[in-house]
Amino acid sequence: DSFEAFHRYYRKQVSIDYDTASSITTLKVRAFTADTSKQVNDLLLKMGERLVNNLNDRSRQDLIKTAEQEVQTAEEKIKTAATALAAYRNTQTVFDPDKQSALQLQGVAKLQEELLTTQAQLEQVRRVSPNNPQVASLNSRVENLRKSIATETAKVAGANGSLTSKSAAFERFALDKIFAEKQLAAALTSLETAKSEALRKQLYLERLVQPNLPDKAVEPRRLRSVLMVIALGLVAWGVVSLLVASIKEHTD
């Protein structure tokens, strides 16, 4: 009259024996006919296989979904890092402070070589002819070279707006981008691994023995039941007879 009562009845008719040593589970079904018991047994096995397949599908989907979410997160991080680095380059008009500093210092070194050459030339002219008109021109050239060297050096290592002052922030943005790229590569690797794992069936249900169709019914045990009823009837008749005799005796 209720599902709970039916469930209790069902558990009395279906027994499951699990052997921990061999990991083999034995399913037994009691029914009114041999065909019914075999059908119920086979249906329960099919339901078990369907449950295992559903668990596998869900496990694969969850595994791939988690890996895809990690890839999406890594892609968002690398986009953010790349955008921040590009914005810094545009606002600070700098592409790579280290490379630009190296080029800048090469130019300073050339100017210094030119300054030494000009100074040597100026000293030579002064020794030979102190009143030579080239002295003023060479002096002017020396001063211009010194100013150019100071200006170019300030661009590399000045207090404000120099490449050195921009290097720290640039390195931070560049490291964020490199870290995001490595994180994306790791996430893609994890996704491929998850897909490979998903192709393998992690859980399975193997039928060692197919449901058997009994050639002879084990139950009901009719002879035993009849004898048990006769024995119980005799016991009940004896008890009732003793009670009746006892009542009559007391009455007399």
Side-chain angles (χ1 to χ4, degrees):
D1 57 350
S2 67
F3 181 81
E4 287 73 15
F6 175 74
H7 183 255
R8 287 194 297 268
Y9 173 78
Y10 162 81
R11 295 189 64 178
K12 292 178 181 179
Q13 310 310 319
V14 176
S15 63
I16 299 175
D17 182 23
Y18 176 69
D19 186 0
T20 57
S22 61
S23 298
I24 296 177
T25 302
T26 304
L27 175 64
K28 296 181 180 179
V29 177
R30 299 170 59 191
F32 292 105
T33 64
D35 290 334
T36 303
S37 63
K38 182 179 182 300
Q39 291 175 4
V40 172
N41 199 316
D42 188 62
L43 179 59
L44 289 175
L45 289 176
K46 290 180 180 179
M47 293 173 64
E49 291 175 347
R50 184 166 64 246
L51 175 61
V52 170
N53 292 333
N54 291 337
L55 291 174
N56 281 328
D57 292 339
R58 184 173 180 180
S59 177
R60 286 193 292 264
Q61 292 175 3
D62 291 344
L63 190 64
I64 295 177
K65 184 178 180 181
T66 301
E68 289 177 345
Q69 289 177 350
E70 292 178 354
V71 171
Q72 292 177 358
T73 301
E75 288 177 347
E76 292 297 328
K77 288 184 178 180
I78 196 172
K79 289 178 181 179
T80 302
T83 302
L85 182 60
Y88 183 81
R89 283 172 171 168
N90 292 331
T91 55
Q92 300 296 327
T93 63
V94 61
F95 181 77
D96 191 334
D98 292 339
K99 294 181 180 179
Q100 289 180 253
S101 297
L103 294 175
Q104 202 78 23
L105 291 175
Q106 289 179 2
V108 171
K110 291 181 180 179
L111 291 175
Q112 288 176 342
E113 291 177 1
E114 187 176 353
L115 175 61
L116 292 176
T117 302
T118 304
Q119 287 177 337
Q121 186 179 359
L122 176 61
E123 293 297 329
Q124 184 179 4
V125 171
R126 282 178 176 174
R127 285 197 303 268
V128 175
S129 176
N131 297 323
N132 194 317
Q134 290 185 354
V135 172
S137 175
L138 291 174
N139 277 327
S140 176
R141 182 170 178 77
V142 167
E143 292 298 324
N144 290 333
L145 287 173
R146 287 175 177 173
K147 291 180 180 179
S148 297
I149 291 172
T151 301
E152 296 301 321
T153 303
K155 291 180 180 179
V156 177
N160 296 320
S162 65
L163 293 173
T164 303
S165 63
K166 298 176 181 178
S167 179
F170 178 85
E171 289 294 334
R172 185 174 67 254
F173 288 118
L175 286 175
D176 290 341
K177 185 174 181 293
I178 293 174
F179 179 76
E181 289 174 349
K182 291 182 177 179
Q183 190 174 6
L184 177 60
L188 290 173
T189 302
S190 299
L191 178 59
E192 292 300 322
T193 303
K195 289 181 178 180
S196 299
E197 288 290 335
L199 294 177
R200 294 199 295 267
K201 193 173 184 179
Q202 298 176 350
L203 300 174
Y204 60 92
L205 178 63
E206 182 68 21
R207 296 191 184 189
L208 300 180
V209 179
Q210 297 294 333
N212 295 321
L213 179 64
D215 55 356
K216 182 180 179 180
V218 178
E219 294 182 1
R221 296 179 175 88
R222 293 180 176 86
L223 180 59
R224 187 184 67 175
S225 300
V226 170
L227 294 176
M228 187 176 296
V229 169
I230 293 173
L232 291 175
L234 291 174
V235 171
W237 177 79
V239 172
V240 172
S241 298
L242 289 176
L243 289 175
V244 171
S246 176
I247 293 172
K248 288 181 177 180
E249 183 178 353
H250 285 290
T251 303
D252 295 339

